[in-house]
Amino acid sequence: PQKVYEAILNEVKAVKAQGIDKALFEGIKKAALGLRIRTLDSPDSLCIAQTSAYFNGAFFLDFPEIYDSITEDDLARFISNVLKEEASAISIIYPQS
């Protein structure tokens, strides 16, 4: 667990120092968009997504435009402002056996 934690922290540091890989960023956006589109095939998932969006002040079916508007700079700002080592933690849960 400690090695995984350190690997995550190292990746965050690398992204902060080197920037975000454009191809990876675009691939992740397309994958996330695909997951949202698949939600439209499931009435239960669609209702949950619409309700969640509503209570967060959004309209669920605006997701294509919202996803399209997210930039690499937005992600870099998020990583810089939110993902900080001093505010990170690791929880290790061992089975009771």
Side-chain angles (χ1 to χ4, degrees):
Q2 190 64 34
K3 286 183 180 181
V4 171
Y5 177 69
E6 290 169 7
I8 292 168
L9 291 177
N10 289 336
E11 186 64 25
V12 169
K13 287 177 189 174
V15 168
K16 285 180 179 181
Q18 300 165 7
I20 296 163
D21 180 287
K22 185 174 179 66
L24 179 60
F25 176 75
E26 291 300 326
I28 291 170
K29 273 180 62 171
K30 286 180 183 177
L33 182 62
L35 286 172
R36 284 288 181 186
I37 290 171
R38 277 189 288 260
T39 299
L40 300 173
D41 286 340
S42 167
D44 287 346
S45 295
L46 181 57
C47 287
I48 291 167
Q50 285 179 315
T51 302
S52 176
Y54 175 81
F55 285 112
N56 284 296
F59 179 60
F60 175 74
L61 295 178
D62 287 341
F63 71 85
E65 292 83 14
I66 293 169
Y67 279 31
D68 193 45
S69 73
I70 299 170
T71 66
E72 294 163 57
D73 288 338
D74 294 328
L75 181 57
R77 240 184 337 277
F78 172 83
I79 290 170
S80 237
N81 295 335
V82 177
L83 302 181
K84 299 182 179 190
E85 185 172 0
E86 63 271 13
S88 68
I90 182 171
S91 296
I92 304 169
I93 301 170
Y94 294 101
Q96 287 187 330
S97 55

